[in-house]
Amino acid sequence: MNFDFSQEQQMLQDSVSRFIQDNYDLESRIKSAGSKFGFSQDHWQTMAELGWLGLPFDEADGGFGGTQIDTMLLMEQFGKGLVLEPLLASVILGGGALKRGASTELKAEILPGLIDGSRQLTLAYAEEQAHFDLHDVTTTARSDGDGFVINGHKSMVLHAATADQIVISTRTSGGQIDEKGISLFLIDADADGVKRDNFPTVDGLRASEVTLQDVTVGKDRLIGELDGGFAILNDVASDAILALSAEAVGAMEVLYKDTVDYTQQREQFDHPLADFQVLQHRMVEMFMEYEQCKSLLYRATMEAAQGSSAAQRSVHALKHLVGKAGIFIAENAVQLHGGMGMTEELRIGHYFKRMIVIDAQFGNADYHLGKFAA
Amino acid sequence: MDIELGPEDLAFREDVRSFFAENAHKAGEDYNVWRLDWFKKARDKGGWDVPKWSAEFGGPGWTPTQHYIWEQETAQATLPWDMPFGIGMIAPIIMAHGNEEQQERFLPDIRGRKVNWCQGYSEPGAGSDLAALKTKAVLSDDGTYYTVNGTKIWTTMAQIADWIFCLTRTDDSGIKQEGITFLLFPMKQEGIEVKPIITLGGAHSVNMVHFTDVKVPVENRIGAEGKGWTYAKGLLQHERTGLAGISRSIVALENLKKQASTVKRGNGSLMDEPTFRAKVAELEIDLMASEFTELRSLASASAGSAPGPESSILKLKGTEIQQRIAKLTVEAGGIYSAAWGKPVGHKFAKGGMGGYLASRAFTIYGGASEVQKDVIAKNVLGLKRSSK
Ligand SMILES: Cc1cc2nc3c(=O)[nH]c(=O)nc-3n(C[C@H](O)[C@H](O)[C@H](O)COP(=O)(O)OP(=O)(O)OC[C@H]3O[C@@H](n4cnc5c(N)ncnc54)[C@H](O)[C@@H]3O)c2cc1C
C-alpha cells in the first residue's frame, strides 16, 4: 500500500498546476468560453507540447504510457481551473476508444495527430431515449458492400463542432437495448450526411446534436469487433467517469476553500461570517464531503489502473458520491456567499454550474446508485 | 375541525375558476391590453385585483379559506404578469404607516399597475445585517427635502422601476436599528445610476444603484424620521409569507411527475425508478404537511391573533421545497438539462436548468435561511444567541 506519487507524477502535477495558475483566472476563462471555438487554440497547442494529450497512450503509439492515476492528477488540476479545452472529448473519449479497439493501421493514422494537437476527436454515444444507458442504441450501421451505412441521431456530443473525427456507437444487430450488437466506427465529422447542430452548455463548454443520414464508412474504420463495441464503450465511460470525478474533486477544493476565505473576510452583525457556528459546521461538512470524494477517487482510480475486478463497482460508487457531494458543496458555497454567490462575477457560480453538469454526464448520482445496488 | 369546504366556499371556488377560464389570454391577443383589462375585470369582481388588500382599501375582505382557494386556483391558472413590489410590498406599508395624502397619491397608481416599484434595502455592507445600512439622507436646513447619497445592491428590476422605496440613514448616533428613515422617490432622475449585475443564468434582474445628491421632498417620507426600521420589518413579514409558494409547488410537482413519466426507462419510465420515485414521494409528503401549516397560519391570522409559530417555518420549508423540485426537474432532464439556449432532447429539459439556478436565490433573499433560523430560535423557541 502506497499513496505516494512518483517523481514523474509529481512533476506532472506541478506543471499542470502552474499552467492553471498562469492561464486560468476567471476573466481569461470567460473570454475563452465566449470565443469562436469555446476554448483557446494556444492552450491546446501548449497542452500538446507538454505531452498531456499523449498521456494515456502506449509509448509504441507515441504516447507516454500513463495510467488512470496520471490522468487523475491532470484532471484534478484541470478542475481547479475549470479548463475548457477538449481533452476529455478528444483524448479520454475518442482516443480512449481507439486505444482499446482500433487496428494498428488506424491507430498509426490517427493517434500521432491527436497527440500533437493537430487532430481532434470526440465520442457520440448518447441518444434521447436512452437516458443514461450506453447500451440503448437506435442509430444503425447497415452492412453495404465493403463498408457500412450509418443512420440516426446522436445527442449532446461534446465539442463536436471542432472535432475532425467522431467515434460513434451504432447498432449492427440485436434489439434496441442489447449489449451485444453494438459497433463503434470512426467517421469524419464533415463526411457527407453528417449534420452538426452546435450549441453551448450551461457550464461554458460546447456540444452538438449530430444527425447522420446515409453516412458511408469503410470497414477499416470499425473499432473493435463487429457487434462487440459495448465492452469498449463501457471501459471508455469508466475512464471518463474517473477523469470527470478527478475534475470534480479539484473543483470541490476550490469551492470549499473559497468559501472558507470569503466567510472570514465578509462581516455582518459586526463579525466575520466565519464566526457563526452554523456556518463553521456547514463548512466542515463541505470539507468532509470533499475528503470522502477524494478517498473514493483514489480507491477507484488505483483499482482501475491495476485492472482490478472491483473497479467497476467502485466507479459506480464514485460517480454517485461525486454527484451528490459535489452538488452539496456547490450549493452551499453559493448559499454561504449570499447574493455574491449568485453572480457571474465570482468564480463560485461557474464551479457550481460545472458541478451540476458533471453530475449529469455518464449517469447521475441516482443512476449509479441504482447500478451499485443492483 | 372540518376538512371539507362548505357550500359557500365551493361556490366561491367555482366563481374563481370560471373567472380565470373566461378571462384567459387568447392566442394573438395583445398581452398588455389583456393584462390591464384582466386587472380591471378582477377589480369589478370586488377587489380581486388586490386580493391581499384589506376591505378598507378596496380589497375583497376574504376569509382565510377563500384566500387559500384563491392561492390554489392561481397556481393552476396563468395570471397576468405582476410585479410584487407595488401591490404586495409597498402598498401595505403605505396603508399602515403612510398619511392620507400619501395613500391617495400612491395607491391608485399601484392598483392600476401603472407604476413599477423597486425595493432599495440591501447594501454592499448590509445584507443579512440590514440595519447596518449606510445610505445617507440629510434634511435640508429649511426642512423641506432630504439629500440622499449612497449605494444599494441587488435591487431587483431597478432598471425598469419608476419608483423606489428606500431605507436611508438619518442618524447614526444611537443603536443601528434607530435613525433609519423610509423614503419614496422616482428612479428616473438625475443622480441615480443603475448598473446591471448578471446572475448565474446570464439574466439581468438585479442591479447596483448609486445615489448622488438625490433630492427627496419630505412629503415622500413614510411616517416619522428615524422610525423606518419598524415599518420595514412589517414589510419583511409580508414578503416572507408570500415567498413560500406552497400551492405553486404542488402544481410544479404534478408537472414534474408528468414530465418524468415521459422519460423512458426499460419498460417503464423514470417515475418507476425507485430512487426518483422516492424523492417525488418525499416532496409530496412535505407538501401535504406544508399545505396545512399554511392553513393553520391563515386561520390564526383570521382569528385576529398574531401569526402563530407555525407561520415562521413557512418561508424556510417552502423555499427548500421549491429548490428540491427545481433540482429534480434538472435530474429528470438528464444530460439534456445541460444544453444552454437551445432546446435539446426532452421538451421539458429547456428551462429546467435556468429554473434550478434561479432557485438557489430563494434561500438567500427575503431573509437567508440561516438567519431565519436564528430568528425562530430567538423569537419562537426563546433561545439565547450563543457567545459565538
Ligand atoms: C436574486 C436576488 C434578488 C434580490 N432582490 C433584492 C431587492 O429587490 N431589494 C433588496 O433590498 N435586496 C434584494 N436582495 C438582497 C437579499 O435580500 C440579500 O442577498 C440577503 O439579505 C442576504 O444578504 P447578503 O447577500 O449580503 O449575504 P450575507 O448577509 O453576506 O450572508 C451570507 C451568508 O451568511 C449567512 N449569515 C449571515 N449572517 C449570519 C448569522 N448571523 N448567522 C448565521 N449565518 C449568517 C447567510 O445566511 C448567508 O448564507 C436580492 C438578492 C438576490 C440574490
Side-chain angles (χ1 to χ4, degrees), chain B residues 16-55:
Chain B
V16 173
R17 279 186 184 165
S18 50
F19 179 80
F20 287 169
E22 278 160 26
N23 296 296
H25 183 252
K26 291 172 197 68
E29 196 175 0
D30 181 277
Y31 187 88
N32 273 320
V33 172
W34 167 73
R35 176 172 179 263
L36 293 178
D37 190 51
W38 193 98
F39 285 123
K40 204 179 143 302
K41 286 190 179 130
R43 183 185 180 125
D44 294 341
K45 288 293 288 181
W48 287 18
D49 57 331
V50 285
K52 290 196 172 140
W53 287 18
S54 65

Side-chain angles (χ1 to χ4, degrees), chain B residues 151-168:
Chain B
T151 300
K152 294 287 170 184
I153 193 170
W154 314 121
T155 324
T156 302
M157 292 296 157
Q159 73 272 29
I160 60 157
D162 306 298
W163 280 73
I164 185 168
F165 51 96
C166 193
L167 290 179
T168 61

Side-chain angles (χ1 to χ4, degrees), chain A residues 56-67:
Chain A
F57 300 107
D58 288 347
E59 282 168 37
D61 293 324
F64 286 76
T67 67

Side-chain angles (χ1 to χ4, degrees), chain A residues 100-122:
Chain A
R100 288 183 166 83
S103 64
T104 320
E105 296 75 36
L106 195 56
K107 279 192 212 169
E109 180 192 329
I110 305 292
L111 290 184
L114 198 161
I115 292 169
D116 73 21
S118 60
R119 181 193 294 280
Q120 204 183 304
L121 258 59
T122 189

Side-chain angles (χ1 to χ4, degrees), chain B residues 39 154 249 284 341 364:
Chain B
F39 285 123
W154 314 121
S249 287
E284 209 168 326
I364 295 171

Side-chain angles (χ1 to χ4, degrees), chain A residues 110-175:
Chain A
I110 305 292
L111 290 184
L114 198 161
I115 292 169
D116 73 21
S118 60
R119 181 193 294 280
Q120 204 183 304
L121 258 59
T122 189
L123 173 72
Y125 63 95
E127 295 187 4
E128 183 176 337
Q129 83 291 342
H131 201 50
F132 295 125
D133 287 332
L134 300 169
H135 54 83
D136 188 336
V137 178
T138 61
T139 297
T140 55
R142 174 169 47 84
S143 171
D144 182 49
D146 233 13
F148 291 84
V149 180
I150 301 177
N151 278 287
H153 184 95
K154 291 287 175 181
S155 266
M156 299 297 290
V157 185
L158 266 179
H159 289 291
T162 44
D164 301 287
Q165 268 108 15
I166 303 173
V167 176
I168 180 168
S169 62
T170 64
R171 180 143 307 282
T172 37
S173 72

Side-chain angles (χ1 to χ4, degrees), chain A residues 266 268-269 273 276 278-279 335-339 342, chain B residues 85 119-122 127-128 153-156 206 361 364-366 368 370-371 374 385:
Chain A
R266 166 88 172 155
Q268 289 287 275
F269 304 100
L273 292 177
F276 300 119
V278 64
L279 301 189
Q335 177 71 20
L336 267 52
H337 278 75
M342 287 300 298
Chain B
F85 299 107
Q119 177 190 33
Y121 282 15
S122 308
S128 298
I153 193 170
W154 314 121
T155 324
T156 302
V206 294
I364 295 171
Y365 62 58
E370 291 76 9
V371 178
D374 260 9
R385 190 185 275 275

Side-chain angles (χ1 to χ4, degrees), chain A residues 202-225:
Chain A
V202 67
D203 53 356
L205 271 61
R206 301 289 170 93
S208 307
E209 292 293 291
V210 178
T211 313
L212 305 114
Q213 201 180 359
D214 295 330
V215 178
T216 54
V217 59
K219 68 169 186 272
D220 58 324
R221 306 265 130 172
L222 177 67
I223 300 170
E225 301 285 320

